[in-house]
Amino acid sequence: ETAVFQTPNYHVTQVGNEVSFNCKQTLGHDTMYWYKQDSKKLLKIMFSYNNKQLIVNETVPRRFSPQSSDKAHLNLRIKSVEPEDSAVYLCASSRDWGGAAETLYFGSGTRLTVL
Amino acid sequence: GDSVTQTEGLVTLTEGLPVMLNCTYQTIYSNPFLFWYVQHLNESPRLLLKSFTDNKRTEHQGFHATLHKSSSSFHLQKSSAQLSDSALYYCALSNYNVLYFGSGTKLTVEP
C-alpha cells in the first residue's frame, strides 16, 4: 500500500535545465528525506526535514535545493542539471526524527535522465 | 564517520540452500541501530528487520539477524533460499539523525 507519493515517475532533460520533483506522504509522519540511488544502486542521503525544518544537509552540490511547505510535502529542485545527476531520487518519511529505530517508508522514486 | 560495509556485491544461490549476507559497520555510538532493507526489482526499498539489542536474534519473514557489537556485525541469514528472495539487500546504520546504507548485495536465487 503506497503512502509516499512521488511525481513524476520519470523525467528526461538536457544538461543545464532546471527540474523539480514532488513528494507527499499521507502517513502523518514528521520527518521526510531525499535519497539518491545511482546507477550502481548506491543509496545516499541528501536531505532530511523534520516538521518543515531542514535537519540534515549532506554534502550535496548547491544546485540541489529542497523545499517543504508543510510536514507532508517535500520537494526537490535541481537548478542546472549535470550528467552525474542521472539517478533515481527516492523520497522517504519516518514517524519522527532523532529516534534511531525509526522505519523509513519510501516512495516509488523519480528516475532522472540527463542527456 | 559512520559507515556500513557489505563485502559481497553479488550472491547467487540455488533454491533451498542457506543464505548469509555479510554486514559490518563502524560508528562512534555505543548503541547503534542496525537495519536490513530489501528492494525487489522495480520496487522501492522496504524494511526487512531491525535491531539495537546486542546478541539478540531478530526474525522476520524467514530471515534473521543478530547484532554483535563485539564484532560490529549484523549478518542476514535464512535457512533455505526461495526464488522470491531474489532482490537487492541493504544493510543500514542509524546515527540518530539519518540512515546510512551499505552498498547493497544483490541476491539471485536460481532453481
Side-chain angles (χ1 to χ4, degrees):
Chain A
E1 184 178 349
T2 304
V4 181
F5 303 92
Q6 291 186 240
T7 57
N9 293 327
Y10 304 92
H11 191 85
V12 180
T13 190
Q14 294 186 325
V15 171
N17 286 348
E18 178 176 312
V19 298
S20 288
F21 306 145
N22 301 312
C23 180
K24 171 187 173 182
Q25 55 94 2
T26 59
L27 294 166
H29 288 171
D30 284 344
T31 307
M32 296 185 72
Y33 312 79
W34 277 110
Y35 277 84
K36 178 181 179 182
Q37 187 175 41
D38 64 19
S39 59
K40 296 182 179 179
K41 300 298 185 181
L42 292 176
L43 197 53
K44 291 188 176 180
I45 180 72
M46 299 176 71
F47 302 101
S48 170
Y49 266 74
N50 178 257
N51 229 339
K52 301 193 298 178
Q53 300 298 315
L54 180 64
I55 301 299
V56 171
N57 183 350
E58 292 290 301
T59 305
V60 176
R62 285 191 173 188
R63 60 183 181 277
F64 290 86
S65 59
Q67 297 168 321
S68 180
S69 56
D70 56 58
K71 70 177 188 178
H73 295 83
L74 182 62
N75 300 329
L76 182 66
R77 184 180 76 162
I78 312 175
K79 189 175 178 182
S80 189
V81 295
E82 297 187 6
E84 60 264 32
D85 298 338
S86 293
V88 176
Y89 291 87
L90 288 163
C91 177
S93 72
S94 66
R95 188 181 54 180
D96 201 356
W97 167 74
E102 294 296 334
T103 298
L104 261 60
Y105 295 85
F106 285 91
S108 56
T110 295
R111 181 178 296 277
L112 173 67
T113 302
V114 181
L115 301 175
Chain B
D2 299 323
S3 66
V4 177
T5 301
Q6 294 179 248
T7 51
E8 310 108 343
L10 296 169
V11 172
T12 302
L13 291 171
T14 301
E15 187 179 15
L17 290 181
V19 178
M20 180 158 171
L21 306 183
N22 291 320
C23 173
T24 57
Y25 63 90
Q26 283 188 316
T27 182
I28 61 172
Y29 294 100
S30 57
N31 295 307
F33 284 76
L34 273 294
F35 302 75
W36 277 99
Y37 278 77
V38 59
Q39 184 176 22
H40 286 92
L41 189 62
N42 297 323
E43 295 182 6
S44 52
R46 62 173 176 81
L47 179 70
L48 180 58
L49 50 79
K50 62 184 178 183
S51 179
F52 62 93
T53 305
D54 198 14
N55 298 318
K56 181 181 178 182
R57 176 170 160 147
T58 300
E59 298 189 35
H60 188 63
Q61 296 183 336
F63 287 90
H64 62 92
T66 302
L67 175 60
H68 291 296
K69 292 183 182 179
S70 60
S71 58
S72 298
S73 66
F74 191 57
H75 306 317
L76 183 68
Q77 300 181 68
K78 187 177 184 184
S79 59
S80 176
Q82 297 178 296
L83 296 176
S84 58
D85 294 331
S86 294
L88 182 59
Y89 291 81
Y90 289 102
C91 184
L93 167 73
S94 172
N95 74 349
Y96 290 78
N97 285 328
V98 295
L99 206 56
Y100 292 100
F101 288 86
S103 54
T105 298
K106 183 178 179 181
L107 174 64
T108 301
V109 181
E110 298 177 334

